[in-house]
Amino acid sequence: MGSFQQRISRSKERSNRLHEKNRVVEQISTRVNWLFSLNPYRPSFAMKSPKNDETDLEGGKLEKARDKTPHGSTTANVHNQALLSGLAYCISSCSMILVNKFVLSGYNFNAGISLMLYQNMISVMVVSVLSLLGVISTEPLTWRLIIVWLPVNVIFVGMLVTSMFSLKYINVAMVTVLKNVTNVITAVGEMYLFHKHHDNKVWTALFLMIISAISGGITDLSFHTVGYAWQILNCFLTASYSLTLRRIMDTAKQVTKSGSLNEFSMVLLNNTLSLPLGIILILVFHEVEYLSTTPLLRLPEFWLVITLSGFLGLAISFTSMWFLHQTGATTYSLVGSLNKIPLSIAGIFLFKVPTSLENSASILFGLLAGVFFAKAKMRERS
């Protein structure tokens, strides 16, 4: 019994010493945590192994860096993307019009429909290759989709052809001013077809556009009746395309396999369907005879320029979608209006357009009216 009691006593002593050690360790741990908590730049931690402590400390630093860097870099990245996409859109849209003007007037190329056809062929080939590589997704062209989309495409082809014809006879600055008439026709069409009401600022801007177009035509030193007739027809076709597209798009989505129709599919659809219509128009306007006799088709530099115009036409589609995705419809429309100002100035100086103070004032007045219209539409949306 005595030895048994001694073993119990020694066991109690060991238990008490172990308890005392644990209490000391807890006190040390508490004091260490309290000391580290006094420093705000280091995270507090419980008694862990050195390896875990190093990982936690490094993780804490990475968390702080992750909290700061991505937010700032993401904001800067979004800003840079918007700036880059806007710049790409402005350059491609201005370059497209200037290159087309150079081909039609500089080279005196009298086959605008053939130029349109060649540009659309380039667009079809590039979009098809990108779709096959899986870079973009497009809807398959079924007969049901083609039949639904055909009326829109007829207007689309007419819009491109009349734009080519007018650009051959009218200077770039006046083309940009006269294009404002499209906004007037579209606004009236929206009112009658979709029962949409516009506020007074929108109608004021539209009235200013009409005044600028009339005064610009009167003071235009290089006025050409045929060119103005083609441009007015182009305004009606462009407005009709915009209004018809809204009605047809919902019907077209219902006959697609995915139930949707993205921008790339519409680019492919429009340009593919324009090829047979373009061939018919080439035969109607006897451009085959001209193409067989013109020496321009034997110039490598001419092929280089028209190929560049085809890629620029496709670039407008891609950059406009990119810019619209990075910003929004309001910024997109405003930049599109502001973009006409440097385009008009470049067109006057590059092609040495004869102008007067009155005509220059009318052009500037029309461009500012376009900007005022874009801002009025922004307020109307909001």
Side-chain angles (χ1 to χ4, degrees):
M1 288 292 293
S3 61
F4 179 73
Q5 290 178 349
Q6 289 176 357
R7 285 196 299 271
I8 292 175
S9 177
R10 284 196 295 269
S11 176
K12 287 183 178 180
E13 289 177 0
R14 285 195 298 269
S15 177
N16 290 334
R17 284 197 298 268
L18 182 61
H19 179 72
E20 184 68 21
K21 288 180 180 179
N22 289 338
R23 190 172 62 83
V24 172
V25 169
E26 288 178 1
Q27 290 176 353
I28 295 172
S29 175
T30 304
R31 290 185 181 183
V32 170
N33 283 331
W34 178 78
L35 288 172
F36 276 106
S37 69
L38 295 177
N39 189 346
Y41 301 101
R42 294 286 298 274
S44 62
F45 56 90
M47 295 293 286
K48 297 178 182 177
S49 64
K51 185 176 180 180
N52 289 340
D53 293 344
E54 182 180 350
T55 305
D56 288 347
L57 287 171
E58 190 66 20
K61 292 177 183 177
L62 291 174
E63 284 294 330
K64 288 185 178 181
R66 204 173 282 123
D67 287 340
K68 293 179 181 179
T69 306
H71 180 70
S73 63
T74 302
T75 304
N77 186 43
V78 170
H79 178 73
N80 292 335
Q81 287 285 327
L83 185 64
L84 185 62
S85 61
L87 185 63
Y89 167 67
C90 292
I91 292 175
S92 59
S93 60
C94 288
S95 300
M96 177 67 178
I97 296 176
L98 294 175
V99 170
N100 279 345
K101 179 65 176 177
F102 179 67
V103 172
L104 297 170
S105 298
Y107 281 102
N108 196 25
F109 187 62
N110 295 320
I113 303 174
S114 300
L115 177 60
M116 176 212 70
L117 184 68
Y118 183 69
Q119 291 173 347
N120 291 356
M121 286 176 60
I122 292 176
S123 297
V124 171
M125 288 189 293
V126 173
V127 173
S128 299
V129 169
L130 292 177
S131 179
L132 290 174
L133 294 175
V135 179
I136 60 175
S137 61
T138 56
E139 287 291 327
L141 303 184
T142 61
W143 279 111
R144 292 181 63 191
L145 181 59
I146 291 173
I147 292 172
V148 171
W149 198 263
L150 192 58
V152 179
N153 189 256
V154 172
I155 302 174
F156 173 75
V157 172
M159 180 180 69
L160 294 182
V161 170
T162 53
S163 177
M164 291 289 186
F165 287 163
S166 65
L167 197 59
K168 179 176 177 57
Y169 299 105
I170 309 177
N171 65 74
V172 175
M174 280 308 304
V175 166
T176 56
V177 172
L178 291 173
K179 280 183 177 294
N180 287 335
V181 178
T182 303
N183 296 326
V184 180
I185 301 171
T186 304
V188 175
E190 287 177 337
M191 186 175 63
Y192 283 99
L193 294 177
F194 304 105
H195 306 288
K196 183 177 180 179
H197 298 283
H198 303 286
D199 58 26
N200 294 330
K201 290 184 178 180
V202 172
W203 287 115
T204 302
L206 294 174
F207 177 74
L208 295 176
M209 288 178 181
I210 296 174
I211 297 299
S212 66
I214 295 174
S215 60
I218 294 174
T219 58
D220 188 5
L221 298 180
S222 57
F223 180 86
H224 199 289
T225 306
V226 175
Y228 272 72
W230 281 118
Q231 183 55 50
I232 293 173
L233 181 58
N234 174 261
C235 292
F236 277 97
L237 288 172
T238 305
S240 300
Y241 177 75
S242 175
L243 296 170
T244 307
L245 188 63
R246 299 182 187 185
R247 287 177 173 267
I248 298 297
M249 194 174 293
D250 292 334
T251 306
K253 289 179 181 179
Q254 296 174 3
V255 298
T256 58
K257 291 186 176 181
S258 65
S260 62
L261 193 66
N262 60 24
E263 291 84 354
F264 297 111
S265 298
M266 285 190 285
V267 170
L268 181 62
L269 188 60
N270 264 334
N271 287 280
T272 302
L273 294 182
S274 69
L275 299 182
L277 291 176
I279 294 173
I280 294 173
L281 290 174
I282 287 174
L283 297 174
V284 171
F285 283 84
H286 306 289
E287 287 192 0
V288 177
E289 300 174 4
Y290 171 79
L291 293 174
S292 61
T293 57
T294 180
L296 291 174
L297 298 183
R298 293 189 289 271
L299 296 176
E301 63 178 32
F302 178 76
W303 281 102
L304 180 62
V305 173
I306 62 174
T307 302
L308 174 63
S309 69
F311 279 102
L312 285 173
L314 186 60
I316 293 176
S317 300
F318 285 111
T319 56
S320 61
M321 286 185 285
W322 181 27
F323 183 46
L324 189 61
H325 177 72
Q326 292 295 328
T327 55
T330 53
T331 305
Y332 177 81
S333 61
L334 183 60
V335 171
S337 298
L338 292 171
N339 192 35
K340 294 179 180 179
I341 297 176
L343 174 62
S344 301
I345 296 173
I348 291 173
F349 283 99
L350 289 176
F351 299 102
K352 299 178 181 178
V353 177
T355 185
S356 61
L357 181 61
E358 293 82 3
N359 185 246
S360 299
S362 299
I363 293 172
L364 180 61
F365 183 70
L367 296 174
L368 294 177
V371 176
F372 180 64
F373 172 76
K375 294 184 70 174
K377 290 291 287 183
M378 288 169 61
R379 293 194 187 95
E380 189 179 60
R381 290 192 189 102
S382 59

